[in-house]
C-alpha cells in the first residue's frame, strides 16, 4: 500500500513535470524554500536536467510507445519470474509474479553491490515470503533467477561487444576524453 502511494505520487509528479513543467517548477520552488540553501540550487538544477531529458515524452505518440514497450518489458520479466516459480514448484499467479517484479524493482533502487548481488536475493526472498514461499526455497529461486537474468543480459552484451569490435582500451580512452 505504501509503495502504491509512493508510485502514484511519483507518477503524478512525473506527468506534471512533462505536461505542466512551468507550473510544476514554481511549486517545486516553493517546497525548496524548506530545504537548506546549500541544497536548493543543486536540487533545482538536477530537476531541470531531468525535465530536459524527458521532454521527448510530450509527444503523445512517443509517450504511448514508451508506455507500451515498458508494459511489454514488465510483462515479459514477470512471465520469466512466473515460469521460473512454476519450475520450482511454487504455486503463484501471474499477478503475484508482477508483485514480485514490482518489489524487486523498488528494491534494486537501493544502493548496492554491482549486479545487485545480495540486494536482488534479499528482496526476492522477502517478496516471496509475502506470497507464502518459505525462505530456503525462495533463496534458491532468487539465486537461480538472478543468475539466469544476469547471464542472459551478459551474453547479449558480449555478443554486441564482439560484433562492434569493442575493446577495454577503447572504452578507457573514450572515458578519458569525456
Amino acid at each position: 500500500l505504501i509503495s502504491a502511494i509512493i508510485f502514484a505520487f511519483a507518477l503524478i509528479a512525473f506527468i506534471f513535470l512533462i505536461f505542466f513543467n512551468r507550473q510544476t517548477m514554481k511549486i517545486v520552488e516553493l517546497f525548496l524554500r524548506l530545504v537548506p540553501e546549500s541544497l536548493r540550487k543543486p536540487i533545482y538544477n538536477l530537476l531541470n536536467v531531468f525535465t530536459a531529458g524527458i521532454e521527448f515524452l510530450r509527444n503523445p505518440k512517443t509517450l504511448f510507445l514508451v508506455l507500451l514497450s515498458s508494459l511489454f518489458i514488465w510483462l515479459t520479466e514477470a512471465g520469466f519470474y512466473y515460469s521460473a516459480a512454476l519450475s520450482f514448484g511454487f504455486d503463484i499467479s501471474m499477478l503475484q509474479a508482477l508483485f514480485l517484479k514490482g518489489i524487486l524493482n523498488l528494491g534494486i533502487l537501493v544502493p548496492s553491490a554491482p549486479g545487485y548481488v545480495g540486494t536482488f536475493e534479499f528482496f526476492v526472498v522477502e517478496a516471496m515470503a509475502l506470497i507464502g514461499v518459505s525462505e530456503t526455497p525462495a533463496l534458491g529461486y532468487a539465486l537461480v533467477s538472478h543468475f539466469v537474468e544476469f547471464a542472459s543480459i551478459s551474453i547479449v552484451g558480449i555478443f554486441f561487444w564482439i560484433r562492434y569490435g569493442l575493446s577495454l582500451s577503447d572504452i578507457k580512452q573514450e572515458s578519458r576524453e569525456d
Side-chain angles (χ1 to χ4, degrees):
L1 181 59
I2 292 169
S3 297
I5 292 168
I6 291 169
F7 268 127
F9 178 76
L11 179 62
I12 291 167
F14 190 74
I15 290 169
F16 273 82
L17 273 173
I18 293 171
F19 295 107
F20 308 103
N21 184 267
R22 204 171 310 133
Q23 298 88 334
T24 304
M25 291 305 283
K26 287 183 181 184
I27 294 169
V28 167
E29 288 174 12
L30 291 174
F31 280 106
L32 284 178
R33 291 181 184 167
L34 304 172
V35 174
E37 194 170 327
S38 62
L39 295 175
R40 282 183 207 160
K41 189 171 183 174
I43 292 172
Y44 189 80
N45 289 342
L46 182 65
L47 197 54
N48 273 326
V49 169
F50 176 76
T51 302
I54 61 171
E55 258 183 39
F56 71 97
L57 293 175
R58 287 188 182 137
N59 179 323
K61 182 180 176 184
T62 303
L63 179 61
F64 173 76
L65 291 173
V66 166
L67 291 174
L68 187 64
S69 64
S70 294
L71 179 64
F72 174 75
I73 291 165
W74 265 65
L75 289 174
T76 301
E77 288 181 356
F80 162 73
Y81 291 118
Y82 175 71
S83 61
L86 292 180
S87 71
F88 269 76
F90 302 153
D91 184 27
I92 73 166
S93 67
M94 185 62 176
L95 186 59
Q96 289 170 320
L98 281 165
F99 168 77
L100 169 63
K101 183 63 189 153
I103 294 295
L104 185 54
N105 278 3
L106 280 175
I108 62 176
L109 290 174
V110 174
S112 64
Y116 314 114
V117 173
T119 307
F120 182 100
E121 288 75 15
F122 173 79
F123 283 100
V124 168
V125 169
E126 292 302 311
M128 293 300 275
L130 294 172
I131 293 171
V133 176
S134 61
E135 186 176 345
T136 302
L139 180 57
Y141 168 79
L143 289 168
V144 169
S145 297
H146 196 182
F147 174 77
V148 169
E149 189 172 322
F150 190 79
S152 61
I153 291 168
S154 296
I155 289 169
V156 171
I158 291 168
F159 169 78
F160 283 104
W161 183 284
I162 293 168
R163 182 165 183 223
Y164 289 111
L166 298 174
S167 70
L168 285 176
S169 60
D170 293 338
I171 292 172
K172 287 179 184 176
Q173 179 65 31
E174 190 169 317
S175 68
R176 284 186 200 124
E177 292 171 3
D178 289 339

